[in-house]
Amino acid sequence: MVETTDKPEDLRPRAPVVTIMGHVDHGKTSLLDAIRNANVAAGEAGGITQHIGAYRVSTKNGDVVFLDTPGHEAFTEMRARGAQVTDIVVLVVAADDGVMPQTLEALNHAKDAEVPIIVAVNKIDKPGAQPDRIRQQLSAHGLTPEEWGGETIYCDVSARARTGIDKLLEMLALQSEILELKANPNKAAKATVVEARMDAKRGPVSTMLVQEGTLRVGDTVVVGEELGKVRAMIDDKGRQLQQAGPSTPAEILGLSGVPKAGEVMNVVTDERAAKELVEHRRIRRIEKERAKAGPVSLDKLMDAMRAGLKELKIILKADVQGSVEALSSALSKLSTEKVKVTVIQAAVGGITETDVNLAKAGNAIIIGFHVRPAGKASSLAEQEGVDIKLYDIIYDAVDEVKQAMAGLL
Ligand code: GDP
């Protein structure tokens, strides 16, 4: 597909796409529900809201789209496939609990993807709520609140009591103005798969988020190696759509198969071109599989550096906080003029599938110190070509990275 650059005068503002992340039980799902309901209560016309994987709400400052899968797993999985649909991350922290391991994990994912963060301090209705403590804790991680002279927007909310929701929406809409999010609605559509499934009655059903252009019923489309014609489009209120512009989520019927989340859908003008594109993709995939250059590994670091790698990203997992800190600082100090060593995530605990996905998405390697891969992390790493190195002695870990960088291995 030829990527055309749009003329500035063809670009129109588009709604921001938001992902809600945070520690388990801090209220991500509740917040998504509260936002959806706030909008219904505000009297938005239309049917009953459906769970299609994304929804769009209107605010007086413009529309905002929410991806309906809370947490960073989906976010990272999509990124691992090269899709970045999220414009803003809302980091939810429970005011009575504070910053927890997954809060920091989510923060690292958002930072590595360079997506701006707005903090929602949730559960402020609770007697033990200490919203300022959250501000303090997160300031230590680079999220200094605006009201303290920093750059991060904090919103105190209660998903349960439904307070602060309008303010949060307003902030999101404003943030999107600052980000100057724009797209050209007047061209063939490009969209990303948010989720997809096989429906017994309707066949493959796929929720797409239109990124640019306008998608219409009747369009011939290609997603990955699937071909199809848009037979019907249904929005998050259950309404039939004839067309969907940028930042519009819609369920699409008519694909030949079930695509994967994060795959890109293109509208093509004729069937023959579509077939050619699918064939082209198939060949490219096979070529890629053959070449298997793929992700960074410590053994092939020199090749990667020769091919232009300027930054070695590391995800560090260790058994105790002391080792996390010691290794993290020792590794960061290995940076040279040619290659910067960045520890994008350092935490206590075993190596998880999420770590592997983050490594894949960020093109990082994983270093484990006195820990092992948990669950399916090992097999996923193998499948995705992510390099996991395990060490028992700090010196060994540092030395091996150093040697690899010096090309002595
Ligand atoms: P998730 O794991 O982050 O999706 O969290 P949930 O949305 O499932 O919420 C976890 C628990 O916290 C549930 O029992 C919610 O009812 C409760 N909860 C969520 N938001 C609030 C809130 O604003 N105030 C209070 N008191 N409880 C909340």
Side-chain angles (χ1 to χ4, degrees):
M1 191 91 327
V2 186
E3 296 281 338
T4 49
T5 35
D6 296 298
K7 292 196 212 95
E9 63 266 31
D10 293 334
L11 296 175
R12 299 283 173 277
R14 65 167 180 85
V17 180
V18 178
T19 296
I20 296 190
M21 300 193 202
H23 195 70
V24 63
D25 279 346
H26 278 196
K28 300 179 293 292
T29 313
S30 308
L31 190 57
L32 277 164
D33 285 344
I35 291 165
R36 195 191 330 249
N37 289 329
N39 213 235
V40 172
E44 162 142 318
I48 306 153
T49 55
Q50 319 272 316
H51 282 270
I52 65 166
Y55 64 87
R56 191 170 160 130
V57 300
S58 357
T59 81
K60 62 179 193 299
N61 299 303
D63 288 3
V64 182
V65 176
F66 289 86
L67 293 184
D68 211 355
T69 344
H72 49 255
E73 287 79 5
F75 176 83
T76 314
E77 211 181 299
M78 282 176 96
R79 255 189 91 212
R81 292 216 180 85
Q84 180 152 320
V85 297
T86 303
D87 300 305
I88 306 171
V89 162
V90 168
L91 184 63
V92 179
V93 192
D96 62 334
D97 198 15
V99 170
M100 299 297 276
Q102 280 172 282
T103 314
L104 295 179
E105 216 172 285
L107 176 61
N108 290 331
H109 286 262
K111 270 191 188 161
D112 190 53
E114 295 179 0
V115 177
I117 298 166
I118 288 185
V119 180
V121 180
N122 190 30
K123 307 198 188 184
I124 52 155
D125 59 295
K126 283 201 157 182
Q130 298 185 59
D132 272 356
R133 198 174 132 245
I134 310 297
R135 285 170 172 73
Q136 237 156 29
Q137 290 178 331
L138 285 177
S139 291
H141 294 277
L143 297 184
T144 310
E146 267 190 334
E147 62 261 42
W148 295 0
E151 290 187 340
T152 307
I153 297 167
Y154 281 68
C155 294
D156 291 344
V157 300
S158 165
R160 179 170 292 176
R162 307 272 151 96
T163 50
I165 307 294
D166 286 347
K167 180 78 194 298
L168 175 64
L169 286 172
E170 191 185 319
M171 285 305 164
L172 287 167
L174 287 175
Q175 184 71 15
S176 89
E177 270 175 40
I178 294 166
L179 295 171
E180 295 189 41
L181 301 172
K182 284 180 181 161
N184 177 2
N186 296 312
K187 62 177 186 182
K190 184 182 147 219
T192 301
V193 181
V194 174
E195 58 176 55
R197 68 197 151 83
M198 184 56 96
D199 186 281
K201 284 201 197 104
R202 301 185 292 170
V205 179
S206 164
T207 296
M208 310 295 310
L209 182 70
V210 179
Q211 239 84 60
E212 51 184 36
T214 296
L215 185 64
R216 293 188 171 78
V217 170
D219 279 348
T220 300
V221 294
V222 166
V223 196
E225 292 172 32
E226 304 287 348
L227 198 64
K229 200 176 203 87
V230 179
R231 257 197 301 130
M233 284 197 283
I234 302 130
D235 75 0
D236 55 323
K237 316 274 181 324
R239 297 175 296 207
Q240 295 268 348
L241 300 178
Q242 285 309 308
Q243 55 178 47
S247 294
T248 306
E251 269 190 347
I252 302 222
L253 309 185
L255 292 180
S256 57
V258 180
K260 295 188 192 76
E263 279 188 329
V264 170
M265 174 164 115
N266 290 109
V267 170
V268 284
T269 35
D270 64 287
E271 199 101 353
R272 233 184 67 200
K275 283 198 178 124
E276 271 169 24
L277 181 60
V278 168
E279 182 60 14
H280 173 72
R281 285 201 176 144
R282 204 179 62 82
I283 291 167
R284 220 175 43 188
R285 173 177 56 82
I286 294 167
E287 278 172 1
K288 252 195 186 160
E289 279 168 7
R290 281 212 193 105
K292 271 257 161 94
V296 182
S297 82
L298 218 43
D299 300 339
K300 299 201 185 101
L301 192 60
M302 266 295 131
D303 293 342
M305 280 160 69
R306 252 179 239 121
L309 181 84
K310 298 239 166 16
E311 183 178 21
L312 174 63
K313 294 186 189 176
I314 295 175
I315 292 171
L316 180 65
K317 298 301 282 277
D319 55 342
V320 292
Q321 188 59 27
S323 308
V324 170
E325 280 160 20
L327 251 175
S328 179
S329 91
L331 288 169
S332 303
K333 280 189 197 131
L334 293 177
S335 292
T336 65
E337 258 170 41
K338 281 194 195 125
V339 183
K340 189 172 160 224
V341 179
T342 311
V343 179
I344 59 172
Q345 169 147 301
V348 171
I351 296 158
T352 62
E353 285 170 65
T354 312
D355 294 326
V356 175
N357 273 324
L358 176 59
K360 170 94 193 301
N363 214 3
I365 64 166
I366 300 177
I367 289 185
F369 182 73
H370 279 299
V371 295
R372 337 211 72 250
K376 295 197 198 98
S378 254
S379 52
L380 183 66
E382 199 162 313
Q383 183 190 322
E384 300 290 1
V386 168
D387 199 17
I388 298 183
K389 295 277 181 189
L390 303 174
Y391 300 95
D392 290 320
I393 298 168
I394 290 193
Y395 174 81
D396 285 350
V398 177
D399 199 48
E400 221 174 290
V401 174
K402 197 163 140 191
Q403 303 243 358
M405 286 178 69
L408 296 175
L409 264 188

